[in-house]
Amino acid sequence: MADAKVIPFDDDRSRGSRGAGSRRRGGPAESAPAGDVQPLPVRGAAAQDPAPGPDESPEPRSAVGDGGDRDEGLERRLAAGLSFLRRRLTGDYEVDDFGYDAELTDQVLMSLLRPVYEKYFRVEVKGVENIPAEGGALIVANHSGTLPLDGLMMQVAVHDHHPADRHLRLLAADLVFVLPVVNELARKLGHTLACAEDAERLLAQGELVGVMPEGFKGIGKPFGERYKLQRFGRGGFVSTALRQGAPIVPCSIVGAEEIYPMIGNSKTLARLLGFPYFPLTPTFPWLGPLGAVPLPTKWTIQFGEPIPTDGYAPEAAEDPVLMFNLTDQVREQIQHTLYKLLVQRRSVFF
């Protein structure tokens, strides 16, 4: 594998033009038999509800009705599933210019992530109403956990809890897009490369964009430095938000730091594999594949009040002092909320 490199979020280099909009992936797109003897019509109440005999008990109607409803619901789900499968096999579905597949994400990928979110990590979401109901916005969060599960859980939190049913488009390092299988899944989920060009295009289209400015410094830090924010780069995400006039929503995630307590880093293995780090935890690699199972910690994700950027002049995006101040404001707000959530937390696991 080639050495992993992180494209700076500030990097405004053009990576080739893409068409706007979405594109389509291929693809084309009785009466009951009469009985021999017909019963005579019955008048009165007996026609509605015949009295049961002495050895008979009345049949509960609700049970029959509920069974019919269940059968109809099962038939509808089966028909929907077959229709979905037909569209996937024939290519009769749409993806946008970044590879985002809304149907696959909603019906399959989110359904796979949801049990991990609800049952395993038992994520509690706060402040989701601070995310704008429409228009472009930039969600900036802390990054931790050795593997980037925090980004996926944040994506489920927005998808399942935002009243406007918004979808979060995450910006990821280029390592994600060179790994087999992971690359395709990330594109289908709506992720794209963490560069200014892609971020600005998504914000201009009114999308909700998520970024974790700590990058590998945050996700690969030792367990002893948990919940201590690393450097937020050079403020590229602030510059992007200023250019588009998009609000910045700080997000604090507690619980991810403990899923893989990183007690060491094998730099030799990391260099051989082309990874930015190779984690050593109390269970990995000593227990083999079992050691890759994350610990079932209890998570809290809190979205803070948005910081507006539409009141600045167009040239403000090139002002290094302003970018530094806004970057520091976002970072301090996330760090303060992390400390507050840690004080309120009863236990790592409950």
Side-chain angles (χ1 to χ4, degrees):
M1 180 183 298
D3 290 344
K5 57 190 177 74
V6 179
I7 295 182
F9 191 73
D10 311 55
D11 192 351
D12 289 328
R13 71 183 188 280
S14 174
R15 301 187 303 128
S17 60
R18 303 189 184 108
S22 61
R23 60 180 183 272
R24 183 174 297 273
R25 295 294 301 268
E30 58 204 83
S31 62
D36 294 336
V37 180
Q38 297 297 327
L40 295 175
V42 182
R43 296 182 181 180
Q48 302 296 326
D49 191 6
D55 297 330
E56 298 178 358
S57 58
E59 182 181 0
R61 297 182 186 179
S62 59
V64 176
D66 290 346
D69 291 343
R70 284 195 297 269
D71 291 342
E72 291 178 4
L74 180 60
E75 290 177 2
R76 285 195 298 268
R77 289 195 295 271
L78 181 59
L82 291 174
S83 177
F84 172 80
L85 184 60
R86 178 191 62 79
R87 291 193 298 274
R88 307 316 294 187
L89 293 176
T90 60
D92 187 19
Y93 59 92
E94 295 181 353
V95 297
D96 72 3
D97 293 338
F98 297 91
Y100 170 48
D101 190 330
E103 183 184 47
L104 183 67
T105 296
D106 292 340
Q107 298 193 24
V108 178
L109 300 181
M110 284 295 162
S111 298
L112 295 175
L113 291 172
R114 194 168 290 118
V116 180
Y117 173 92
E118 294 179 348
K119 305 299 183 182
Y120 198 78
F121 293 135
R122 295 147 290 146
V123 180
E124 179 183 1
V125 181
K126 299 180 179 181
V128 71
E129 67 277 2
N130 288 321
I131 300 174
E134 58 184 15
L138 189 66
I139 295 182
V140 182
N142 59 303
H143 207 12
S144 61
T146 306
L147 292 180
L149 297 182
D150 50 359
L152 295 175
M153 295 300 103
M154 182 170 65
Q155 194 171 3
V156 179
V158 174
H159 182 276
D160 286 3
H161 295 281
H162 195 277
D165 297 325
R166 302 209 65 179
H167 182 77
L168 182 63
R169 310 289 294 269
L170 290 174
L171 304 177
D174 66 332
L175 176 62
V176 172
F177 302 106
V178 299
L179 295 174
V181 181
V182 174
N183 169 35
E184 288 296 322
L185 290 176
R187 290 292 185 188
K188 298 293 186 184
L189 277 164
H191 304 175
T192 190
L193 195 62
C195 69
E197 180 192 20
D198 284 2
E200 287 187 30
R201 287 187 62 201
L202 288 171
L203 289 174
Q205 295 171 11
E207 298 283 357
L208 195 61
V209 180
V211 61
M212 296 173 163
E214 292 176 282
F216 291 128
K217 299 188 302 294
I219 197 174
K221 64 178 176 288
F223 186 67
E225 298 180 15
R226 60 192 179 278
Y227 298 114
K228 296 178 182 179
L229 292 183
Q230 305 298 300
R231 184 173 173 267
F232 268 22
R234 293 172 290 175
F237 69 92
V238 171
S239 176
T240 298
L242 286 169
R243 288 192 183 98
Q244 295 299 323
I248 299 173
V249 181
C251 177
S252 302
I253 304 174
V254 165
E257 293 276 16
E258 294 90 1
I259 61 173
Y260 295 111
M262 186 169 164
I263 57 177
N265 176 19
S266 176
K267 295 182 179 180
T268 302
L269 284 175
R271 188 164 50 251
L272 289 174
L273 296 173
F275 294 158
Y277 56 89
F278 188 89
L280 303 175
T281 75
T283 59
F284 182 83
W286 330 114
L287 299 183
L290 186 62
V293 177
L295 296 178
T297 58
K298 175 74 170 62
W299 288 34
T300 301
I301 299 178
Q302 179 161 335
F303 299 95
E305 295 185 3
I307 299 172
T309 64
D310 55 353
Y312 295 95
E315 60 271 15
E318 309 301 330
D319 185 348
V321 176
L322 176 61
M323 283 196 297
F324 175 81
N325 290 337
L326 285 177
T327 300
D328 193 56
Q329 179 183 350
V330 175
R331 186 179 181 279
E332 288 300 318
Q333 187 168 334
I334 294 173
Q335 184 70 82
H336 176 74
T337 304
L338 286 175
Y339 288 148
K340 184 173 67 175
L341 292 175
L342 288 171
V343 169
Q344 296 172 354
R345 183 169 67 168
R346 296 177 301 170
S347 166
V348 173
F349 298 101
F350 304 102

